[in-house]
Amino acid sequence: YLSRAQEQGQRLEALVQGLLDLSRIESAETMANFEPVNLTKLLGEIVEPYASRAEQSNRTLELDLPTDRIEVSGTETLLRQAFENLLENALKFTRPNDFIRIATESDMEWVSIKIIDSGIGIPTDDLPRIFSRFHRGRNVSKISGNGLGLAIVKAIITLHGGTVDVQSQSARGTTITVSLPSSIANPINISE
């Protein structure tokens, strides 16, 4: 009983922390802290521990980054949280012997980051609500989670002037595309 109570306490703590994060992000308190973020470096740092976890669980994680620096305006801590949430989901919902791939593209106006997995996918009926608070797909009821991860991702990316798109099919994998304005096209105005 003590073990179960401790488990439930940890779940409740994670839920409360998620709700606090979401509330803070949605109130846009952090916009004043925007600065140039080297997305190439950030993604490289984020992927390293996930690649190790993937290897230990017989999954393949590939990172396709350009050699050039990709820069966006934002808060590094929040962008890190968004991409960690996406990688956590990809790892959680990808079966052993399957793959996860992160690919980037950029032009003068937009930076696009795709997290592609060959995991369990998202049922078509769930796609319209996938970024809603507390929504969990019908096919993940036996996998732990509180349904806030993608809502937090959406709030962070929206705060940064970007978009999040999802394409998925049950049992065929998921592709999440995050598009952020390039800081080349949208330089930060320090005087504001």
Side-chain angles (χ1 to χ4, degrees):
Y1 288 118
L2 185 57
S3 176
R4 288 183 69 189
Q6 188 175 15
E7 244 177 62
Q8 293 302 319
Q10 289 169 342
R11 282 188 63 218
L12 187 57
E13 182 181 3
L15 179 64
V16 169
Q17 186 59 51
L19 285 169
L20 287 172
D21 286 348
L22 193 54
S23 176
R24 184 174 38 84
I25 294 161
E26 288 177 343
S27 70
E29 291 173 13
T30 55
M31 254 183 115
N33 299 327
F34 275 18
E35 58 188 17
V37 176
N38 181 343
L39 205 54
T40 310
K41 180 177 177 247
L42 180 64
L43 288 172
E45 290 172 0
I46 292 169
V47 167
E48 193 175 312
Y50 286 95
S52 176
R53 285 176 54 196
E55 186 179 337
Q56 291 171 7
S57 59
N58 291 327
R59 293 164 177 87
T60 304
L61 193 151
E62 300 170 2
L63 177 60
D64 180 14
L65 279 178
T67 53
D68 296 339
R69 176 184 173 116
I70 297 174
E71 196 171 271
V72 297
S73 299
T75 303
E76 185 174 318
T77 306
L78 289 176
L79 290 172
R80 179 180 297 274
Q81 181 179 5
F83 289 112
E84 285 178 349
N85 281 0
L86 292 173
L87 282 171
E88 195 66 45
N89 277 356
L91 200 56
K92 188 189 303 187
F93 300 120
T94 300
R95 299 168 293 250
N97 302 314
D98 278 343
F99 73 90
I100 301 161
R101 183 170 174 258
I102 298 103
T104 59
E105 296 174 2
S106 65
D107 58 30
M108 292 299 286
E109 293 186 29
W110 291 93
V111 176
S112 176
I113 303 96
K114 291 184 184 233
I115 293 97
I116 305 155
D117 69 57
S118 59
I120 64 172
I122 302 165
T124 306
D125 294 347
D126 288 322
L127 286 173
R129 296 183 314 269
I130 203 69
F131 295 108
S132 300
R133 290 178 185 204
F134 306 114
H135 180 77
R136 299 196 68 224
R138 290 175 289 132
N139 61 339
V140 299
S141 61
K142 294 182 180 170
I143 301 171
S144 67
N146 57 28
L148 287 175
L150 289 178
I152 290 171
V153 168
K154 174 91 170 164
I156 290 170
I157 300 306
T158 300
L159 176 68
H160 284 78
T163 60
V164 187
D165 181 54
V166 61
Q167 295 175 341
S168 187
Q169 290 182 326
S170 280
R172 293 194 161 198
T174 301
T175 298
I176 303 267
T177 304
V178 173
S179 297
L180 292 164
S182 167
S183 63
I184 296 168
N186 301 292
I188 300 170
N189 186 345
I190 304 290
S191 63
E192 288 183 353

